[in-house]
Amino acid sequence: MCSMVLKNMQRHWQLYLLVVLPLLYLLVFKYIPMFGAQIAFKDYNVVKGMLGSPWVGLKYFQQFFNSPNFGTLIKNTLFLNLFALLIGFPAPIILALALNEIRQGFFKRAVQMVTYAPYFISTVVMVSMIIIFLSPRVGIAGTVLKAFHMEDVNLLGIPEYFRSIYVWSDVWQNTGYGAIIYMAALAGINPQLYEAAKVDGASRLQKMIHIDIPGLMPTAVILLILNVGQLMNVGFEKVFLMQNPLNVSTSEVISTYVYKIGLLGANFSFSSAIGLFNSVINLALLLIVNFAARKISSNSLW
């Protein structure tokens, strides 16, 4: 058995060579850092080091669960991610279906370019644009409110508006990029299905419902599983940059809290415990959703 494997590797060594760099990346940046997760169970001291620090068991996990911020952090993280998933997940599918129905090549390419371009805007520039647009003095929002003789308000300073601003700006930035995956899936559908549907007198809407959407389902299910597996993770940069003392009641999520406690507060063990708890919850969600998807639709990651 081993000799067969070695012969196969010698025969296709070029393919195995291509895998070396990705494997090294996973090893160096994903697996080796797992060794540091042990400080979540230790009273970590920089002088004593990771191995010399004493074990404290689940002390920091209990401290986090008993913290007055625990409920708020979980609620803010879940609500923000669920809102983003509810709005952001179907948006690329709808855009891809719409683009697939456009027959005029120039208009189709123009729409693709306009919707795809925001993806290349960096997070810092994106947040700067949001802050300027929503500024009560010089922003577009303030100008519109003045035109309707309404009172100027700092929209980013209202906690109830933070989630909507975050999610809809994210949809604007990422929908075009996400639609590319679904456009590729639509391109792989057998053209004979459309020809048969045309012979049967099916309308465009009927083709979309009975051909396009079923053709997208395997791709959509896989992406949904991956998105649910990241339900407890929120992009740190954007949330942190949009955060201010006025909206912190809804914008404080686990990632920003870990940054403040771990790096700014130098409480490394406590922040590591929070991060490890977050990762375990994400893993559990990924396994549950993958199992449910395999049972319901026969499409899953494994």
Side-chain angles (χ1 to χ4, degrees):
M1 184 68 181
C2 294
S3 59
M4 292 179 60
V5 173
L6 290 175
K7 288 181 179 178
N8 186 55
M9 292 180 66
Q10 291 176 355
R11 186 180 306 166
H12 305 289
W13 64 270
Q14 298 94 337
L15 299 177
Y16 287 95
L17 185 62
L18 291 175
V19 182
V20 171
L21 287 179
L23 288 178
L24 285 176
Y25 169 80
L26 290 174
L27 179 65
V28 174
F29 295 101
K30 301 297 181 180
Y31 284 94
I32 292 179
M34 289 183 184
F35 179 74
Q38 63 178 298
I39 67 174
F41 306 94
K42 289 188 171 188
D43 187 8
Y44 179 68
N45 185 288
V46 178
V47 177
K48 295 180 180 179
M50 191 182 303
L51 299 178
S53 300
W55 292 93
V56 294
L58 301 177
K59 171 186 173 182
Y60 292 106
F61 292 93
Q62 295 173 352
Q63 183 178 336
F64 177 56
F65 297 152
N66 297 327
S67 170
N69 297 317
F70 177 75
T72 302
L73 292 172
I74 298 297
K75 182 186 71 173
N76 289 345
T77 304
L78 278 177
F79 279 14
L80 187 60
N81 270 321
L82 285 173
F83 188 17
L85 185 63
L86 181 65
I87 302 298
F89 181 75
I93 299 177
I94 296 172
L95 178 61
L97 290 172
L99 289 173
N100 192 53
E101 293 300 317
I102 297 176
R103 297 292 177 260
Q104 187 177 356
F106 174 78
F107 181 72
K108 183 176 183 178
R109 291 192 296 269
V111 172
Q112 284 182 299
M113 183 189 68
V114 170
T115 56
Y116 184 55
Y119 178 76
F120 295 98
I121 302 175
S122 69
T123 303
V124 175
V125 175
M126 170 62 68
V127 175
S128 300
M129 292 170 59
I130 294 172
I131 293 173
I132 293 173
F133 290 161
L134 300 181
S135 173
R137 295 184 179 181
V138 298
I140 296 176
T143 304
V144 173
L145 291 174
K146 289 177 183 177
F148 287 95
H149 304 287
M150 298 175 66
E151 182 182 358
D152 292 346
V153 292
N154 182 10
L155 296 177
L156 272 178
I158 302 176
E160 292 78 10
Y161 292 170
F162 176 82
R163 296 189 184 105
S164 297
I165 296 171
Y166 178 91
V167 170
W168 286 108
S169 62
D170 210 48
V171 169
W172 173 71
Q173 185 176 18
N174 297 315
T175 296
Y177 176 78
I180 293 177
I181 300 174
Y182 296 106
M183 290 290 291
L186 288 171
I189 296 177
N190 191 344
Q192 294 181 355
L193 296 176
Y194 294 104
E195 295 174 3
K198 185 177 180 180
V199 171
D200 292 338
S203 63
R204 282 193 174 186
L205 181 61
Q206 289 174 327
K207 292 177 184 177
M208 187 182 299
I209 294 174
H210 298 289
I211 299 177
D212 292 342
I213 294 179
L216 290 178
M217 284 304 296
T219 303
V221 169
I222 297 299
L223 292 178
L224 179 61
I225 293 172
L226 294 174
N227 286 336
V228 173
Q230 296 294 319
L231 200 59
M232 292 292 288
N233 284 343
V234 181
F236 165 78
E237 298 88 352
K238 189 174 180 180
V239 175
F240 184 73
L241 292 171
M242 291 177 61
Q243 193 176 87
N244 60 57
L246 298 176
N247 63 27
V248 72
S249 61
T250 56
S251 64
E252 187 75 290
V253 294
I254 291 178
S255 57
T256 58
Y257 185 73
V258 168
Y259 168 75
K260 294 173 183 178
I261 294 296
L263 293 181
L264 300 184
N267 197 341
F268 302 111
S269 294
F270 184 50
S271 61
S272 296
I274 299 174
L276 185 58
F277 164 78
N278 194 32
S279 299
V280 170
I281 296 298
N282 280 330
L283 177 60
L285 289 172
L286 180 64
L287 294 175
I288 292 171
V289 175
N290 185 77
F291 176 79
R294 187 170 66 249
K295 292 295 183 181
I296 296 172
S297 66
S298 300
N299 294 310
S300 60
L301 289 175
W302 61 86

